[in-house]
Amino acid sequence: MSYQKPIPLKTPDNSPYWDAADRHELHLQKCNSCQAYSHPPGPACAKCGSTDLSWEKIGSEITGTLYSYVVSYRPFLPGFQDDLPLTIAIVELDQVPSVKLIGNILDSDPEQLKIGMPLRMVWEDITEERALPQWKLA
Ligand SMILES: [Zn+2]
């Protein structure tokens, strides 16, 4: 069965992020002026406005801490009806605590979730070319 959910669109600003994700690697945009990481990526640093930006490889083994989450019991987009309830989490990265990523927590019971619990990133291959960073309980 083909993947029915929306696939994140690559733009000039975010394509290095998604290209890395497709290789199961996390890369983050970093400002060369103030050294801040910028996520989601954009044309300029969210902190100082500099356009002197580069990309840094963080790695493939990513862990984080559950910062916040919502549980959806109703499909709000096509393709999600088989995944309910769906947990949408904001996860603070252990490697880069200033960065929070949004993703789904897979194979989890919402009743088990607690703010501050450890998570690990998994790479969900959604098509032959594309992969999404998602989370599982550590
Ligand atoms: Zn900056």
Side-chain angles (χ1 to χ4, degrees):
M1 199 178 85
S2 65
Y3 190 76
Q4 296 181 351
K5 299 171 204 171
I7 295 175
L9 198 63
K10 289 182 185 179
T11 69
D13 288 334
N14 72 20
S15 61
Y17 178 83
W18 291 115
D19 288 346
D22 295 341
R23 302 191 305 271
H24 295 194
E25 288 177 358
L26 179 67
H27 288 215
L28 291 176
Q29 192 178 45
K30 190 173 186 183
C31 175
N32 293 323
S33 297
C34 74
Q35 309 301 317
Y37 289 93
S38 234
H39 189 83
C45 171
K47 196 171 173 194
C48 77
S50 170
T51 54
D52 184 10
L53 303 166
S54 58
W55 285 86
E56 187 171 293
K57 179 181 173 179
I58 308 299
S60 297
E61 303 292 322
I62 306 298
T63 56
T65 302
L66 183 57
Y67 180 82
S68 180
Y69 65 95
V70 294
V71 180
S72 175
Y73 292 93
R74 302 182 62 162
F76 52 93
L77 287 167
F80 288 96
Q81 62 275 7
D82 296 330
D83 291 348
L84 300 174
L86 179 73
T87 303
I88 303 144
I90 300 175
V91 181
E92 188 175 79
L93 298 185
D94 290 340
Q95 286 94 333
V96 187
S98 61
V99 170
K100 296 179 182 70
L101 297 182
I102 295 177
N104 302 134
I105 302 179
L106 306 180
D107 306 332
S108 70
D109 175 354
E111 309 268 313
Q112 298 177 307
L113 300 176
K114 288 192 182 69
I115 300 295
M117 74 192 312
L119 300 171
R120 64 185 171 87
M121 186 177 280
V122 294
W123 303 96
E124 186 184 18
D125 293 308
I126 57 171
T127 71
E128 289 200 5
E129 298 91 39
R130 299 296 309 270
L132 292 183
Q134 303 280 35
W135 298 93
K136 285 191 178 182
L137 304 188

